Amino acid sequence: MSFLYRRTLSSGASPARPSRPAARAQAAVTQALDALGGPFIVADLETTGLSTASCEILEFAAVRVGEGGAVVNEYTQVVRTCARVPSFISRLTGITQAEVDRDGIPVAQAFSSFLAFVEDLPVFFHNASFDRRFLSAAADQTGMPFSNATHCTLALARRAWPELTSHKLDILARHVGASQPTHRALADVRTTVAVALAASARLASV
């Protein structure tokens, strides 16, 4: 027979510490807010699908933001993918096979230009885990590492506006009065810049 032993806290005992996942999430938000205080990059990728095993980066875009939230420079580049652009991706993003054939460059060249643009600055993505997976795959493919600190504006938005039922970029754009994202990488980056700055201001006031 076994017995359950339950230890109770004395009246003067300290409350339980936050769980490790909660502490890590709070630390990530704190680091992101610190990064927003200086020059930083906001970036986005368009891809031909969701899986890094079978899909490719279709477009890179990034904006460099300076002191005070001013946009300093922008970068965008379509990639000449190995496979043809799926029709549903063309409908979603507006990126056609004709545009890829005309303006696309090999992924190694586009990735190199992207790395030169971001330099060693912290990089923000909306739903950063998705973009990091594709950037990691590009790094493995090209031999060019992506080692910048990365931060997630989705996590910032969830902390800044917990009352919202969704933190998709289009909903956040309406909430903060930013331009609507279009699924073209540069347009989405510009929206994400506005969301990041609004979230930073909101969290600074609470």
Side-chain angles (χ1 to χ4, degrees):
M1 183 181 292
S2 61
F3 295 89
L4 176 64
Y5 173 70
R6 179 176 299 168
R7 185 176 63 181
T8 57
L9 292 175
S10 64
S11 59
S14 300
R17 294 181 178 179
S19 67
R20 287 185 179 180
R24 284 196 295 267
Q26 179 58 52
V29 168
T30 300
Q31 291 164 6
L33 292 173
D34 288 345
L36 289 171
F40 61 91
I41 300 290
V42 179
D44 185 44
L45 306 176
E46 298 301 334
T47 67
T48 60
L50 301 178
S51 170
T52 57
S54 58
C55 303
E56 304 174 70
I57 295 174
L58 181 59
E59 187 177 40
F60 290 89
V63 166
R64 181 173 181 144
V65 182
E67 299 289 345
V71 172
V72 176
N73 202 1
E74 297 181 337
Y75 168 79
T76 182
Q77 179 60 57
V78 173
V79 176
R80 187 181 304 143
T81 53
C82 296
R84 292 187 64 80
V85 180
S87 58
F88 77 93
I89 292 294
S90 290
R91 290 193 297 271
L92 178 67
T93 66
I95 303 173
T96 63
Q97 187 64 46
E99 182 179 356
V100 167
D101 293 341
R102 183 184 67 244
D103 301 328
I105 63 176
V107 66
Q109 185 180 344
F111 188 42
S112 177
S113 298
F114 173 79
L115 293 175
F117 183 86
V118 303
E119 297 180 327
D120 61 350
L121 294 175
V123 184
F124 287 79
F125 303 93
H126 199 70
N127 193 18
S129 60
F130 176 84
D131 299 88
R132 279 198 301 256
R133 287 194 293 109
F134 274 89
L135 289 173
S136 179
D140 291 343
Q141 179 183 348
T142 63
M144 294 180 284
F146 174 72
S147 54
N148 297 53
T150 60
H151 304 284
C152 185
T153 58
L154 177 59
L156 282 177
R158 286 171 172 163
R159 187 62 61 92
W161 300 290
E163 70 277 10
L164 295 180
T165 57
S166 171
H167 296 86
K168 292 181 179 180
L169 195 56
D170 59 335
I171 292 173
L172 291 168
R174 287 195 294 272
H175 188 70
V176 304
S179 59
Q180 279 293 305
T182 65
H183 289 291
R184 282 303 296 249
L186 186 56
D188 289 4
V189 166
R190 290 167 177 161
T191 302
T192 305
V193 170
V195 168
L197 296 175
S200 176
R202 169 67 176 165
L203 290 169
S205 68
V206 297

